[in-house]
Amino acid sequence: MSLAKEVRALAGDTLAVLRHPDARGAVLLYAGLAAVFFVYAAITAGLMWTLVAAVIGVCLLPAVEFITHKYVLHWLELAKTSATAQFWNRVHYAHHMDPKDTRVILAHPASVVLLVAVVAGIAWLVGLRPIAPVVAIAFALFAFYEIVHFACHMDGDMRSRYFTARRQEHALHHYVDENRNFGITTAIADRLLGTRIVDKKALVRSPTARNLGYTGEFADRYPYLKRDDAPPAGRTPAE
């Protein structure tokens, strides 16, 4: 596929996501917030620092994705209290239990605002000021992340090579081994840290790919979430 055809295919896949009612509102919200903060940042912080912040954000995206996914979203300790269990259920557990449920593919907007606030706080502490450009690129990258993630799970084929590749690798994470392929928009961190896999035949199916370890004695001890070790009827991984 030529570059021009790939660009057209990427645009078509993105529009397919935006046409879905369970994705459109959140993605447009983050994109709108990003645009507002970019304008504000360019005026108050200057165009150069705004562009530098954007480059830094893009470079850090693979690491942020990997760390958040592996060490926060898959952190079983969150199931130990009622409050944190409900938070974990909304941000990731319910999604793993039924990866095709489009209502829980995207993060809750409140958790997105929380994550952006954490990123902004870290930027402030390390001296990346003014923080308006940081907030702008954070919202922009989250909109991009949510588009890719939703595309990995929605029905219908993807036209572009990029979305097709991301969908295939992410399917292995959900349906075969939850300890592989933590990256959503890119496989860079997984490549570097040895957690990337593309050959389904090279994997042994993990018994906790769906429940993330919330099962058996642990779930009996902390019974704050509904559990069902059997996958929902009719839900099968994308090949």
Side-chain angles (χ1 to χ4, degrees):
M1 182 183 295
S2 67
L3 178 59
K5 288 183 178 180
E6 176 69 4
V7 170
R8 287 195 295 270
L10 285 168
D13 290 341
T14 300
L15 288 174
V17 172
L18 294 178
R19 282 194 292 267
H20 198 291
D22 288 334
R24 181 171 54 244
V27 172
L28 292 179
L29 171 63
Y30 307 144
L33 288 171
V36 170
F37 275 100
F38 269 122
V39 172
Y40 177 76
I43 295 172
T44 61
L47 183 59
M48 183 57 69
W49 170 228
T50 301
L51 293 176
V52 169
V55 171
I56 293 174
V58 171
C59 291
L60 289 178
L61 179 60
V64 172
E65 275 188 7
F66 186 94
I67 292 170
T68 303
H69 197 171
K70 180 175 174 64
Y71 296 107
V72 179
L73 300 183
H74 281 223
W75 192 27
L76 190 57
E77 295 294 305
L78 291 173
K80 286 187 174 182
T81 71
S82 178
T84 56
Q86 295 309 313
F87 169 78
W88 186 50
N89 181 63
R90 178 58 186 86
V91 299
H92 209 59
Y93 175 73
H95 174 50
H96 260 267
M97 287 297 289
D98 189 355
K100 298 296 288 184
D101 185 348
T102 58
R103 298 169 299 176
V104 292
I105 294 175
L106 302 189
H108 192 283
S111 64
V112 174
V113 172
L114 176 62
L115 179 59
V116 171
V118 170
V119 171
I122 294 173
W124 177 269
L125 290 175
V126 300
L128 296 178
R129 307 169 189 169
I131 62 170
V134 177
V135 174
I137 190 60
F139 275 121
L141 290 176
F142 215 96
F144 170 58
Y145 169 93
E146 293 289 52
I147 288 172
V148 178
H149 190 205
F150 201 89
C152 287
H153 293 281
M154 66 184 293
D155 291 333
D157 294 331
M158 294 289 103
R159 296 166 52 194
S160 66
R161 289 177 297 182
Y162 171 74
F163 279 103
T164 298
R166 299 317 307 147
R167 170 181 282 196
Q168 290 172 345
E169 292 191 22
H170 195 55
L172 295 179
H173 170 83
H174 273 280
Y175 297 103
V176 183
D177 189 347
E178 77 280 16
N179 298 306
R180 301 295 194 111
N181 296 352
F182 289 102
I184 304 298
T185 65
T186 175
I188 291 176
D190 287 302
R191 285 177 181 270
L192 293 175
L193 298 172
T195 53
R196 183 180 185 238
I197 191 73
V198 295
D199 183 6
K200 181 178 179 180
K201 296 178 181 179
L203 283 173
V204 176
R205 188 177 297 274
S206 167
T208 55
R210 286 296 184 89
N211 56 45
L212 300 181
Y214 185 74
T215 186
E217 183 179 342
F218 182 91
D220 291 338
R221 185 175 181 182
Y222 305 104
Y224 303 116
L225 296 173
K226 178 182 178 181
R227 56 186 172 128
D228 180 5
D229 293 335
R235 305 298 193 185
T236 57
E239 296 296 338

